[in-house]
Amino acid sequence: MKIAISGSEGQLGLSWQNYLKGDLDDNEAKSSTIHPGYYEAKVYKSSDSEAIYWLPLNRKQFDLCMPESIHATLDRFQPDVVINTAAYTKVDQAEDEQELAFECNAKGVYALGKACMERDIRLVHYSTDYVFPGVEEDVLKYPSGYPETAPTAPVNIYGETKRMGEQELLSIEGDFLILRVSWLCSAYGNNFLKTILRRAKSHGHLKVVNDQLGVPTFTEDVIEQTLELLQMDARGIFHLGSKGMISWYDFAKEILELADINVPLEPVSSDFFPSKAVRPKFSKLSTSKIENLGITVWPWQRSCKRVVSSLKDI
Ligand SMILES: NC(=O)c1ccc[n+]([C@@H]2O[C@H](COP(=O)([O-])OP(=O)(O)OC[C@H]3O[C@@H](n4cnc5c(N)ncnc54)[C@H](OP(=O)(O)O)[C@@H]3O)[C@@H](O)[C@H]2O)c1
């Protein structure tokens, strides 16, 4: 199976690359002789399953805002699957750059979906909990998190453009997986976990909001759940993630404890950090649908421990 990973320099794109590379470093990653441009993955689902070859595509090689670059790259490398981790992700900036966010997250995703459909390529596209309203009342309405069927109603422009991207894909009859994730974390790129570790060391005192609820989702879990869905030939919308529901404050507390960093941590309300884009108060996605398919969903603490210990010297 030949997998092309768009957005390869973002958090999830880098995570995919590192997952498929296994314990090899960049120089050791083995180029495929059968499929030029691709690398051989160290990950095989089982001894008799198909080998995986992967191709990282950064923004220069594959720009969602330039359909011609999408067509040229797909024709040149002929992947079986495109894993689209690329997106306009600047949540606050999107309030001022609506057109650009729409161009990438809605129009670009439509162009990608169409291009994949025309070439019989499977598309895995990541979306977000921000498609939901995230109002406090929904904590009681959906105690185990938003199911895939809950009505969408984003509260900010970024969420709206991601919802439009989902709708554009659903309007095309393609072999698509739309995978919603929330509170993405990893050892790569930018995320809350890394910010907390850095700030704890530089500031010595942290204030973290305790009135937004959700669950951290670690990219390695996302990747493993994605691979399982691909193996099952699943199609449609699925929520990926971890078990549990906490606030950002609870998350910060656990990160500091695991890293053995002892600095004062103060819970504050969202009003303490005014932001341009409204943030949802409730972001938990229910993972019942994938669990019913037999996919394992781990408590968030499991991956948190692994990632914090890999970042001890940040
Ligand atoms: N991070 C989260 O907490 C979170 C939560 C829910 C859902 N998600 C979704 O998960 C996916 C991965 O997120 P992430 O955390 O990996 O985001 P990220 O770190 O911001 O990475 C996004 C990547 O997309 C690239 N990109 C931006 N515009 C592009 C374009 N027009 N064409 C091609 N590439 C473009 C960016 O390149 P530049 O660096 O050059 O801009 C960046 O490398 C996204 O779909 C996001 O919406 C993320």
Side-chain angles (χ1 to χ4, degrees):
M1 178 164 65
K2 287 182 287 170
I3 298 180
I5 303 159
S6 59
S8 63
E9 288 171 16
Q11 172 178 206
L12 187 54
L14 286 168
S15 301
W16 263 102
Q17 294 197 63
N18 279 285
Y19 185 88
L20 294 172
K21 226 172 350 192
D23 50 5
L24 301 179
D25 67 26
D26 281 353
N27 298 326
E28 290 169 332
K30 230 173 136 207
S31 297
S32 164
T33 44
I34 321 170
H35 303 296
Y38 284 81
Y39 293 97
E40 283 179 27
K42 287 280 279 184
V43 183
Y44 299 94
K45 289 301 288 176
S46 67
S47 54
D48 59 348
S49 74
E50 209 187 346
I52 295 175
Y53 300 91
W54 58 279
L55 170 76
L57 295 172
N58 63 26
R59 194 178 180 150
K60 280 193 203 115
Q61 297 158 299
F62 194 92
D63 190 330
L64 279 177
C65 296
M66 295 173 65
E68 60 283 14
S69 97
I70 297 175
H71 290 267
T73 301
L74 296 183
D75 288 338
R76 177 167 171 209
F77 292 105
Q78 302 183 358
D80 302 306
V81 182
V82 170
I83 308 273
N84 180 41
T85 73
Y88 179 103
T89 56
K90 297 170 190 131
V91 177
D92 288 314
Q93 229 166 293
E95 300 293 313
D96 294 324
E97 294 183 339
Q98 300 191 17
E99 292 230 344
L100 189 57
F102 168 76
E103 189 78 16
C104 180
N105 292 347
K107 253 177 110 180
V109 169
Y110 176 78
L112 172 60
K114 200 95 201 306
C116 286
M117 189 266 284
E118 286 162 2
R119 292 163 178 78
D120 264 337
I121 296 171
R122 301 179 74 186
L123 172 63
V124 175
H125 172 70
Y126 291 101
S127 191
T128 169
D129 54 291
Y130 276 33
V131 297
F132 294 116
V135 289
E136 271 163 293
E137 304 86 89
D138 283 351
V139 180
L140 294 176
K141 197 168 172 191
Y142 303 109
S144 34
Y146 284 110
E148 286 79 352
T149 47
T152 55
V155 290
N156 56 43
I157 298 294
Y158 163 75
E160 182 56 38
T161 61
K162 291 292 288 184
R163 174 171 73 162
M164 289 164 101
E166 290 186 357
Q167 288 171 344
E168 295 289 10
L169 287 185
L170 293 172
S171 73
I172 305 169
E173 294 276 302
D175 188 353
F176 302 152
L177 269 174
I178 299 171
L179 306 179
R180 295 187 184 131
V181 297
S182 68
W183 293 21
L184 215 51
C185 276
S186 69
Y188 310 103
N190 299 317
N191 58 64
F192 178 84
L193 188 154
K194 290 174 76 177
T195 303
I196 289 295
L197 287 178
R198 255 194 239 106
R199 292 224 174 132
K201 288 179 184 170
S202 60
H203 289 46
H205 176 205
L206 296 175
K207 292 183 168 70
V208 180
V209 297
N210 70 343
D211 59 355
Q212 294 174 22
L213 296 177
V215 68
T217 298
F218 291 86
T219 54
E220 193 166 318
D221 296 328
V222 168
I223 292 167
E224 287 180 351
Q225 292 167 1
T226 303
L227 285 169
E228 288 200 59
L229 285 168
L230 276 172
Q231 259 218 329
M232 289 173 191
D233 284 333
R235 279 179 179 213
I237 300 183
F238 294 88
H239 290 173
L240 307 185
S242 322
K243 281 195 196 297
M245 182 154 59
I246 54 169
S247 70
W248 289 112
Y249 169 80
D250 301 324
F251 188 20
K253 196 159 171 268
E254 177 84 2
I255 294 166
L256 296 179
E257 274 172 22
L258 288 170
D260 210 11
I261 299 174
N262 194 5
V263 297
L265 179 66
E266 190 184 332
V268 294
S269 83
S270 302
D271 302 336
F272 192 85
F273 293 112
S275 61
K276 192 126 199 173
V278 178
R279 296 296 196 280
K281 286 281 171 74
F282 173 57
S283 275
K284 167 79 181 163
L285 299 173
S286 164
T287 49
S288 300
K289 188 173 173 186
I290 60 165
E291 286 176 78
N292 290 338
L293 291 174
I295 294 176
T296 307
V297 174
W298 300 100
W300 65 272
Q301 293 92 335
R302 181 179 182 264
S303 292
C304 188
K305 206 169 167 184
R306 181 178 40 76
V307 172
V308 172
S309 75
S310 75
L311 289 172
K312 270 214 170 102
D313 302 322
I314 192 173

